[in-house]
Amino acid sequence: MEHDHLQPGLVAEITTVVDDSLVVKHMGGEGVLSTPSMISLMERAGIQAVQPYLPVGHTTVGFEVNVKHFAATPKGKWITVRAELLEIDGRKLRFKVEAHDEDKKVGDGTHRRAVVQIQRQG
């Protein structure tokens, strides 16, 4: 499998408002960004960073997340997540991931994905 167009430094960012679909409410009030939601956004940013450079019929799947979520982001605030491709090892990719809200950095870490062929149905 060729992925010559994949190079360290590829980046994608996702900016969205923290809405009901992204919060947990057990902390009270209107809710805060949940850790699984933050991680999901980080994974999506990783996908977006590399998908245009993959061969036709290929995608990536996540297999490792090492992330810290160290500050709350209330419902209604904007959140921006960023994934940057750091390393390519065969079909395995390693990303630096970060999350910032309007006021501060709220999470960071690394995420790993593997390039795989999409299975055809039928």
Side-chain angles (χ1 to χ4, degrees):
M1 177 196 64
E2 286 185 35
H3 50 266
D4 296 337
H5 299 292
L6 287 179
Q7 297 293 328
L10 294 174
V11 173
E13 286 188 356
I14 297 172
T15 300
T16 189
V17 68
V18 177
D19 63 14
D20 280 331
S21 69
L22 300 175
V23 301
V24 291
K25 296 185 177 181
H26 66 270
M27 298 297 293
E30 290 292 309
V32 295
L33 178 68
S34 74
T35 301
S37 294
M38 181 187 74
I39 292 169
S40 176
L41 290 168
M42 290 172 164
E43 286 194 274
R44 284 197 328 196
I47 293 166
Q48 289 180 13
V50 299
Q51 190 66 44
Y53 303 96
L54 297 177
V56 173
H58 288 77
T59 191
T60 59
V61 293
F63 68 91
E64 181 180 287
V65 177
N66 184 5
V67 169
K68 292 183 181 179
H69 188 185
F70 41 79
T73 301
K75 179 181 169 187
K77 292 272 191 174
W78 286 91
I79 185 88
T80 299
V81 296
R82 181 178 195 270
E84 177 180 354
L85 181 59
L86 295 180
E87 180 182 20
I88 303 163
D89 179 12
R91 60 185 194 94
K92 295 179 181 176
L93 311 176
R94 187 170 62 92
F95 296 86
K96 175 182 178 169
V97 290
E98 294 182 348
H100 295 260
D101 66 19
E102 298 168 34
D103 306 313
K104 63 201 169 294
K105 187 176 189 178
V106 298
D108 69 12
T110 59
H111 174 47
R112 296 181 70 202
R113 303 188 68 76
V115 178
V116 297
Q117 188 167 10
I118 298 170
Q119 293 188 4
R120 297 175 192 247
Q121 301 293 322

